[in-house]
Amino acid sequence: MDLVFRDAEVVDGTGGASYRADVAIDGGRIAAIVKEGAAAGCQRPTARRVVDAEGLALSPGFIDMHAHSDLALLRDPDHSAKAAQGVTLEVLGQDGLSYAPVDDRTLAEVRKAITGWNGSGDDIDFDWRTVGGYLDRLDRGIAVNAAYLIPQGTVRMYAVGWDDRPATGSELDHMRRLVAEGMEQGAVGMSSGLTYTPGMYAKDAELTELCRVVAGYGGYYCPHHRSYGAGALEAYEEMVRLTREAGCALHLAHATMNFGVNKGRAPELLALLDEALDAGADISLDTYPYTPGCTTLVAVLPSWASEGGPEAVLARLRDDETAERIRHHLEVLGSDGCHGVPMDWDTIEISGVSEATLADWVGRRVDGWATARRLLLEDRLGTTILQHVGHEENVRTIMRHRVHTGGSDGILQGLKPHPRAYGTFPQYLGRYVRDLGVLTLEDCVAHLTSRPAARLGLTDRGRIREGYRADLVLFDPETVGAGATYDSPRTLPTGIPHVLINGEFVMEDGRRTSALAGRSVRRTR
């Protein structure tokens, strides 16, 4: 054998009780599992390398169901932000905005629209235009594996533009073709950002038609739905109803209940989902184990202010009369970009800027519309924010649910990113398993491994089982924890000495190796 983990406490991803065993790896796959006390005559496996795993837990690699590493994987071969957490697979193309499928115009526009998420991309050779081309680019070698969702907002940008209107018949046909081509080329489903323009301009009938295409390929729909604040339950219900009509599986992105109007209301959301599940709906969800959210500052503006694209937004912000209308929608009426809740500026903390001269703003709270307007203009919409609007009791309640999975929603840009980008998975294992006992270790690992693998349709990942790919994490249940904090958000976790992808060490003795063992993970029929 290539490698044996000797005397590991195997947490196999099924949710069943852990057990002590030797686990042997050969040719990038799990070749043998010999449990302690195996029948006489069952020889313990030997290998060219043996790792003493006494006192450590061995689990399948963690799957980040909501990642924003679309360009980070290309620009940063190290990518310890995820590799050090034990993440062996990320799902990209989230919130309806990413970089394929595009033409030259759409690529230029989407790069401007999500500079705050991924940077400008000036350091990236965008030598692809299709989903397949992007996945081929990942296959040249990346730090961790990656799957891709077709971004519905980008598709609408490509076929319709930035207008707030229904798609014409020919435009809808064009969108259907783009989605079908992306699924044919290996996407696992489609995402939406229904508080982000231009994706939010799509009505339910249009989304239903695109979901029907996704369903035909066995994929799933992953919406950032129309509200996580006022009207959140109605927004969740809309997504359940829409996907049931389309016959499409549903995965709810960062399924939180935020803002003061939703404090303590997580049980209402779960009751809604349980009713649909019991009636036969195919639903899953992901969350991150923190209370603040993270997005771009421009995202909180009312949708009408973003019609026409980034340059049109900047023109409106420069005009005093229009800027006053925007302020009124934000502070008095409740902007649809801010989930229908009137803006409380005290909840907004600057986490990153694109313009270096504005770096002193990072870590500060926004003191009002005048400051927000100035930052948007001077940073050309590239400002990212933390939004302190979550509730701990909602976070804990939702993570216990039977269809819950883990997703970081990690934005890696900015001088002071959300610590979830570097800490989500050890935060689950350390704080919520060991310290608080919200989940058992076995149940939590299942949330982070086999459940997401099942949603992605993966038949050889997400469990420790002979013949499965050797995407594995060896960690210490007594010391594992998120090093990242709000003050030091790029600190790496503790208690995770070894991470393997396809049988190759990407973390060894707590240090990142030079291995680029990750590849695209494509859905097939």
Side-chain angles (χ1 to χ4, degrees):
M1 302 290 181
D2 295 330
L3 170 70
V4 168
F5 288 107
R6 184 80 75 205
D7 294 320
E9 190 65 25
V10 176
V11 187
D12 65 6
T14 65
S18 64
Y19 56 86
R20 189 178 172 96
D22 295 346
V23 178
I25 313 301
D26 197 54
R29 292 185 180 267
I30 299 169
I33 302 170
V34 179
K35 295 183 179 181
E36 184 181 52
C42 185
Q43 186 174 357
R44 300 186 78 175
T46 59
R48 286 181 286 278
R49 178 175 179 184
V50 176
V51 173
D52 181 4
E54 176 78 33
L56 301 178
L58 184 68
S59 81
F62 306 135
I63 298 176
D64 188 342
M65 286 296 286
H66 193 105
H68 288 285
S69 303
D70 307 50
L71 298 186
L73 277 168
L74 300 180
R75 71 161 58 93
D76 178 18
D78 182 80
H79 202 49
S80 288
K82 294 301 178 68
Q85 292 186 59
V87 171
T88 58
L89 171 59
E90 297 184 273
V91 184
L92 313 176
Q94 299 288 349
D95 295 329
L97 291 167
S98 191
Y99 305 93
V102 293
D103 57 9
D104 291 348
R105 172 192 61 81
T106 308
L107 176 61
E109 291 175 351
V110 77
R111 285 176 60 183
K112 290 179 182 177
I114 53 175
T115 293
W117 292 356
N118 298 311
S120 67
D122 290 342
D123 55 341
I124 301 294
D125 178 12
F126 289 90
D127 59 352
W128 69 86
R129 293 295 181 270
T130 65
V131 169
Y134 177 67
L135 296 176
D136 288 344
R137 177 68 179 275
L138 298 178
D139 281 339
R140 298 179 197 173
I142 47 179
V144 304
N145 297 313
Y148 189 74
L149 294 165
I150 301 164
Q152 170 262 330
T154 300
V155 167
R156 195 172 215 273
M157 196 186 307
Y158 192 155
V160 181
W162 289 83
D163 296 338
D164 183 1
R165 61 171 176 80
T168 66
S170 61
E171 289 167 342
L172 183 56
D173 286 343
H174 188 189
M175 287 190 282
R176 286 195 194 97
R177 288 196 302 274
L178 291 171
V179 172
E181 289 167 3
M183 295 300 296
E184 290 277 1
Q185 293 163 11
V188 295
M190 181 180 75
S191 75
S192 284
L194 300 179
T195 64
Y196 300 130
T197 55
M200 69 190 298
Y201 298 145
K203 304 303 181 187
D204 284 3
E206 179 180 313
L207 296 172
T208 301
E209 287 302 309
L210 299 183
C211 282
R212 287 195 173 107
V213 177
V214 173
Y217 290 89
Y220 68 92
Y221 181 44
C222 180
H224 164 127
H225 48 277
R226 298 192 193 274
S227 177
Y228 292 84
L233 288 175
E234 291 80 3
Y236 281 112
E237 187 177 13
E238 174 193 12
M239 295 298 100
V240 171
R241 183 176 62 252
L242 184 156
T243 49
R244 296 208 72 186
E245 182 179 345
C248 188
L250 172 64
H251 181 85
L252 294 164
H254 38 62
T256 56
M257 293 286 285
N258 288 339
F259 301 91
V261 295
N262 289 317
K263 185 174 183 179
R265 298 187 70 189
E268 296 177 57
L269 166 62
L270 300 185
L272 184 159
L273 299 181
D274 282 336
E275 182 179 0
L277 287 163
D278 292 344
D282 184 357
I283 301 173
S284 56
L285 59 87
D286 66 68
T287 69
Y288 45 83
Y290 298 89
T291 52
C294 179
T295 187
T296 56
L297 184 57
V298 67
V300 305
L301 301 186
S303 57
W304 61 261
S306 295
E307 189 174 5
E311 291 304 320
V313 179
L314 291 168
R316 292 185 181 102
L317 289 168
R318 293 187 193 101
D319 180 77
D320 290 342
E321 183 177 344
T322 308
E324 173 57 23
R325 284 184 60 209
I326 294 172
R327 183 205 65 78
H328 183 73
H329 270 257
L330 277 168
E331 297 181 352
V332 179
L333 301 179
S335 159
D336 51 2
C338 195
H339 308 278
V341 178
M343 174 60 72
D344 177 1
W345 292 111
D346 287 340
T347 66
I348 305 297
E349 178 186 355
I350 303 302
S351 62
V353 292
S354 296
E355 176 55 56
T357 58
L358 299 172
D360 287 347
W361 278 101
V362 175
R364 293 165 60 181
R365 300 290 176 117
V366 175
D367 57 8
W369 169 240
T371 296
R373 179 187 179 191
R374 173 193 162 192
L375 283 168
L376 287 164
L377 285 168
E378 294 185 10
D379 207 25
R380 293 191 61 79
L381 313 182
T383 307
T384 53
I385 59 172
L386 300 185
Q387 199 165 10
H388 296 268
V389 293
H391 305 286
E392 179 68 18
E393 65 270 38
N394 286 347
V395 170
R396 296 189 193 188
T397 298
I398 294 170
M399 73 170 62
R400 293 188 184 102
H401 195 261
R402 53 178 162 152
V403 298
H404 169 267
T405 67
S408 71
D409 197 12
I411 294 175
L412 299 166
Q413 285 296 116
L415 296 175
K416 195 170 181 277
H418 196 305
R420 67 193 185 192
Y422 283 73
T424 286
F425 295 87
Q427 178 83 338
Y428 270 117
L429 297 170
R431 176 170 168 76
Y432 288 95
V433 171
R434 182 186 62 241
D435 298 343
L436 298 177
V438 175
L439 297 169
T440 67
L441 180 60
E442 290 87 349
D443 193 25
C444 183
V445 168
H447 288 222
L448 308 180
T449 60
S450 63
R451 286 191 192 175
R455 168 52 72 215
L456 295 169
L458 306 179
T459 57
D460 61 354
R461 285 185 169 93
R463 299 188 181 195
I464 294 181
R465 181 174 290 177
E466 290 181 1
Y468 273 47
R469 292 180 184 270
D471 292 357
L472 299 168
V473 183
L474 190 70
F475 64 92
D476 184 346
E478 298 302 317
T479 63
V480 65
T485 65
Y486 293 101
D487 291 330
S488 300
R490 296 186 189 275
T491 305
L492 296 181
T494 57
I496 305 179
H498 297 303
V499 180
L500 276 71
I501 295 179
N502 296 316
E504 195 169 352
F505 282 95
V506 295
M507 296 293 298
E508 188 171 14
D509 296 321
R511 291 186 171 87
R512 177 74 172 92
T513 71
S514 60
L516 294 176
R519 297 294 184 270
S520 71
V521 174
R522 309 189 192 207
R523 191 175 189 97
T524 64
R525 287 183 181 273

